Amino acid sequence: MSMALGPLLQSLEPGRMDDAEFQRWARLLETRTGVTVPPERKPFLVTGLRRRMREAGYTDYHSYYDELLDGARGPMEWAALVDHLTVHETRFFRHQPSLSLIRDQWLPEWSRHAPDEQSLHALSVGCSTGEEAYTLAMVLDEALCGVDAPRRFGITATDVSQPALAVARQGAYPAHRLSEIPQQYRADALDIDADGAFRICERLRRRIGFACVNLLHASRAPLRQLDLIYCQNVLIYFARERRGELLDGLARLLRPRGLLVLGAGETTQWSHPQLTRTSGRQTLAFLRNP
Ligand SMILES: C[S@@+](CC[C@H](N)C(=O)[O-])C[C@H]1O[C@@H](n2cnc3c(N)ncnc32)[C@H](O)[C@@H]1O
């Protein structure tokens, strides 16, 4: 029986993708999300696309493409597909030098200049499944709330992937992720089960609002003026010539003395008349002039 079913199942699989077809899908992804897929990443695109097509019951690229563009379920289907075509790799406390810059250098300065009643607003761009936003919450909570004159803070965390955001909103992670979180934060920030699985405590979860925002349209999103923008491992998926425009848009959202933190090495040529690059070889960050 399996010999008879084998060819039948194969014929229901999306077939080989030629280069013209690949270009068409890569263009669609770039137009809608800004993410570029160079030819050497074709296998990544094909694998993600096929996986989603199988789940949704499509066997040929053309009818699936038409459904996405013109079908009644197009917008919903796009939301599901984009999750398969973007990279969500992330970790808690992923880039220690950037977090030290925030905690040890920038925050003390910011606190010195901000009026006592002023709260701090941060943005995590391309937050994936939430680890980056919760990391910022732990760092800010320790630095701002454990002192004599505690300050309030709030974080907006955005991503283009709805499924990733659904995981982020839950704030629950399996036991093997616990080792990413330094011991000093665990007691205050986590509710840990007997088996080691954990959830970010409600007090910190309440500080974060997760929202589906496409970075391409971030400057049109109803985001407030921000003190801290954290944008790591997102720009690398965008075409070089587009990165400057996106960063200009983020710079406009920064308050005076606000900090924009990028991934080290993510862009080398960008500068902005109102921002000054901070020193530090392991970090790439820009301070908005007072
Ligand atoms: C590799 S993850 C980085 C996660 C986190 N920032 C970190 O450094 O650990 C990249 C994230 O960017 C998101 N992304 C890709 N294109 C985007 C866009 N146009 N707008 C918003 N988020 C986007 C992806 O969905 C993905 O979750």
Side-chain angles (χ1 to χ4, degrees), residues 29-30 32-35 82-83 85-92 94-95 124-133 158-162 164-165 211-218 230-238 246 263 266:
L29 186 67
E30 174 153 15
R32 290 192 172 190
T33 67
V35 170
V82 84
D83 184 57
L85 299 186
T86 43
V87 178
H88 299 294
E89 188 194 332
T90 186
R91 283 193 306 282
F92 291 100
R94 186 171 187 174
H95 194 242
S124 159
V125 182
C127 65
S128 188
T129 39
E131 290 83 339
E132 180 178 279
T158 61
D159 202 281
V160 76
S161 163
Q162 291 278 15
L165 288 166
C212 191
V213 175
N214 188 334
L215 177 53
L216 286 183
H217 311 140
Y230 204 85
C231 178
Q232 294 199 331
N233 305 301
V234 182
L235 289 173
I236 40 169
Y237 300 105
F238 286 70
L246 294 173
E266 279 190 285

Side-chain angles (χ1 to χ4, degrees), residues 16 49 56 74 116 140 186 196 201 217 256 282 285:
R16 205 187 139 268
L49 180 59
D116 287 347
L140 294 176
R186 293 185 196 170
C201 69
H217 311 140
Q282 290 179 287

